[in-house]
Structures are given as structure tokens and as C-alpha cells.
């Protein structure tokens, strides 16, 4: 084999190897980006994590967990519609995950719907959250359920939800228990009065007449 032909064959071989090498380098770089995105996410740096997830999502189809991570990031950036888009359709695919991880996604979805005043859509998400979360987290969902029912004019369900919220806050505490429980007790009292007036209107009329 001539030297020129040998050099030509080596050149062709190197050219054929070059794309594979570049692809390997790109995959390594993207793996590092994904690792950094997860670190940011776990550290609560949601904007930084979201920027990297968005970049990766342009080149790859992220799996359900990382797509759900994006939804959580959007929620903490107050982009509630995007949070819903990235979580709601995925929820059936997340059934294989641990209960408490799934609880987070249901709660994020519920809170996003609530923030958008989509109370009917929020209701089932809070109810799913209650089935999966820890006891010290249930007060928050019952609290929100109370307002969902109230805004949907279901006074009886609102009353029961606020009573459950009060009970869980009393027994298990929670991040918002101190600030919310006093308000909840006022809500319960007000709803009790409304329920009594609705159920016993004649008694109320008689009471007014006696005065």
C-alpha cells in the first residue's frame, strides 16, 4: 500500500470517528448540565434549575420526573399555568414514584389551580394530596379545600374541611398552623351561624320577634 493511500485511509477513518467523538462529548456535557440542574432543584434554586432544564428540554425529551421538576420550578416562579401544563398530564405516569414525592406534585398542581381561581380543578388535586402526604401536611390541604368549597358555595363541605384543618393543626402542627388556626376558628364560627340560620329559619325569625 502506498504512503499516500495509507494517509488517505487514516484521514477517512478520522473523519468518520469525529462525529461520534463530538456526540460523546456533547452527551457528557449534557449529563453534567442535568446533574447541575438536579443539584439546583434540590437546593431550592428553582430559577437556575429551570434554565438548565429548559436548555436540555430543547434537545431531549425529558423523562416524566424531570418534566415534573420543571413544573415545580415554574410554580415557585409564580408561572402557574406552565406549572399545570408540566404536571397535570403527567400525574398518571408518576404512580410508580414514592407516595410523598407524588404528594408534592399533587399539591403543586392544586396550589397552581387555586392561585388561578380554578377551584373545581383544585379540589381533586388536594384530595389526592391528602391520601399521600404526611399528617403534619394535611392541615394545609384541608384549609385550602375549605376555601375551594366556600368559593363554590358549598357551605357544608367548607365547614367540614375547616374543622378537619383545625383538628390536624391542633394535633400535628405544620408550617402554617399558628397563623392559620385562629383564622380557621373564625371561619368555623361564621359557617356554623350560616348553617344554623339555613336549617332553622323559623327559629331565627322567632328569636328576632321576641326581641
Amino acid at each position: 500500500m502506498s504512503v499516500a493511500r495509507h494517509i488517505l485511509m487514516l484521514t477517512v477513518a478520522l473523519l468518520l470517528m469525529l462525529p461520534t467523538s463530538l456526540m460523546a462529548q456533547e452527551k457528557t456535557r449534557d449529563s453534567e448540565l442535568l446533574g447541575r440542574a438536579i443539584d439546583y432543584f434540590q437546593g431550592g434554586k428553582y430559577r437556575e434549575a429551570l434554565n438548565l432544564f429548559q436548555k436540555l428540554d430543547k434537545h431531549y425529551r425529558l423523562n416524566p420526573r424531570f418534566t415534573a421538576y420543571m413544573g415545580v420550578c415554574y410554580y415557585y416562579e409564580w408561572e402557574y399555568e406552565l406549572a399545570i401544563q408540566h404536571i397535570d398530564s403527567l400525574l398518571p405516569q408518576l404512580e410508580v414514584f414514592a407516595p410523598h414525592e407524588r404528594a408534592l406534585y399533587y399539591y403543586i398542581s392544586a396550589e397552581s389551580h387555586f392561585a388561578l381561581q380554578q377551584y373545581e380543578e383544585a379540589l381533586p388535586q388536594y384530595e389526592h394530596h391528602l391520601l399521600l402526604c404526611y399528617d403534619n401536611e394535611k392541615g394545609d390541604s384541608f384549609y385550602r379545600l375549605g376555601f375551594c368549597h366556600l368559593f363554590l358555595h358549598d357551605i357544608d363541605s367548607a365547614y367540614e374541611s375547616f374543622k378537619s384543618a383545625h383538628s390536624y393543626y391542633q394535633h400535628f402542627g405544620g408550617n402554617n398552623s399558628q397563623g392559620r388556626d385562629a383564622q380557621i376558628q373564625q371561619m368555623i364560627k361564621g359557617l356554623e351561624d350560616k348553617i344554623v340560620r339555613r336549617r332553622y329559619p323559623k327559629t331565627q325569625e322567632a328569636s328576632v320577634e321576641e326581641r
Side-chain angles (χ1 to χ4, degrees):
M1 182 185 294
S2 67
V3 173
R5 184 175 176 77
H6 184 69
I7 292 173
L8 178 61
M9 291 180 66
L10 283 174
T11 302
V12 170
L14 286 171
L15 288 171
L16 290 172
M17 291 172 62
L18 186 58
T20 303
S21 175
L22 289 174
M23 286 176 63
Q25 291 177 19
E26 187 176 349
K27 285 186 177 180
T28 300
R29 186 166 57 249
D30 288 343
S31 294
E32 292 172 354
L33 283 179
L34 180 59
R36 202 183 314 159
I38 294 170
D39 287 341
Y40 281 141
F41 180 84
Q42 293 175 341
K45 297 180 178 180
Y46 299 110
R47 172 46 63 186
E48 293 86 343
L50 185 57
N51 289 338
L52 295 181
F53 283 131
Q54 288 172 330
K55 186 179 294 185
L56 291 165
D57 201 39
K58 290 179 181 178
H59 299 287
Y60 305 96
R61 185 177 180 181
L62 293 178
N63 67 31
R65 172 170 276 139
F66 298 140
T67 304
Y69 282 5
M70 289 181 69
V72 175
C73 292
Y74 279 121
Y75 168 76
Y76 281 111
E77 290 297 311
W78 304 290
E79 298 184 57
Y80 301 118
E81 290 183 355
L82 287 171
I84 290 167
Q85 289 176 23
H86 282 75
I87 292 179
D88 280 19
S89 62
L90 285 176
L91 288 170
Q93 300 178 51
L94 306 180
E95 292 297 314
V96 296
F97 296 167
H100 197 246
E101 182 178 356
R102 288 160 54 209
L104 169 66
Y105 302 135
Y106 276 110
Y107 190 73
I108 292 295
S109 171
E111 288 283 275
S112 297
H113 283 294
F114 188 91
L116 295 170
Q117 300 181 9
Q118 298 170 354
Y119 304 117
E120 288 187 5
E121 292 82 355
L123 282 172
Q125 309 299 59
Y126 284 122
E127 289 166 355
H128 274 98
H129 176 255
L130 287 167
L131 297 174
L132 299 166
C133 68
Y134 299 144
D135 286 336
N136 65 347
E137 298 168 326
K138 291 184 178 180
D140 291 344
S141 272
F142 277 120
Y143 174 81
R144 291 295 203 202
L145 278 171
F147 280 106
C148 286
H149 289 303
L150 191 62
F151 296 144
L152 293 170
H153 310 293
D154 185 348
I155 293 175
D156 293 297
S157 296
Y159 175 69
E160 293 301 327
S161 294
F162 283 128
K163 281 181 63 180
S164 294
H166 172 63
S167 177
Y168 273 98
Y169 280 143
Q170 288 288 306
H171 288 90
F172 301 103
N175 293 331
N176 303 300
S177 59
Q178 292 184 349
R180 287 181 172 176
D181 200 39
Q183 180 190 13
I184 288 171
Q185 291 182 62
Q186 291 296 320
M187 297 298 295
I188 291 171
K189 180 65 171 63
L191 289 170
E192 281 177 344
D193 292 343
K194 286 185 177 181
I195 291 169
V196 168
R197 285 198 300 272
R198 187 192 64 198
R199 290 181 180 175
Y200 308 105
K202 291 184 178 179
T203 303
Q204 295 295 316
E205 291 171 9
S207 172
V208 171
E209 289 175 0
E210 287 173 2
R211 292 176 191 172

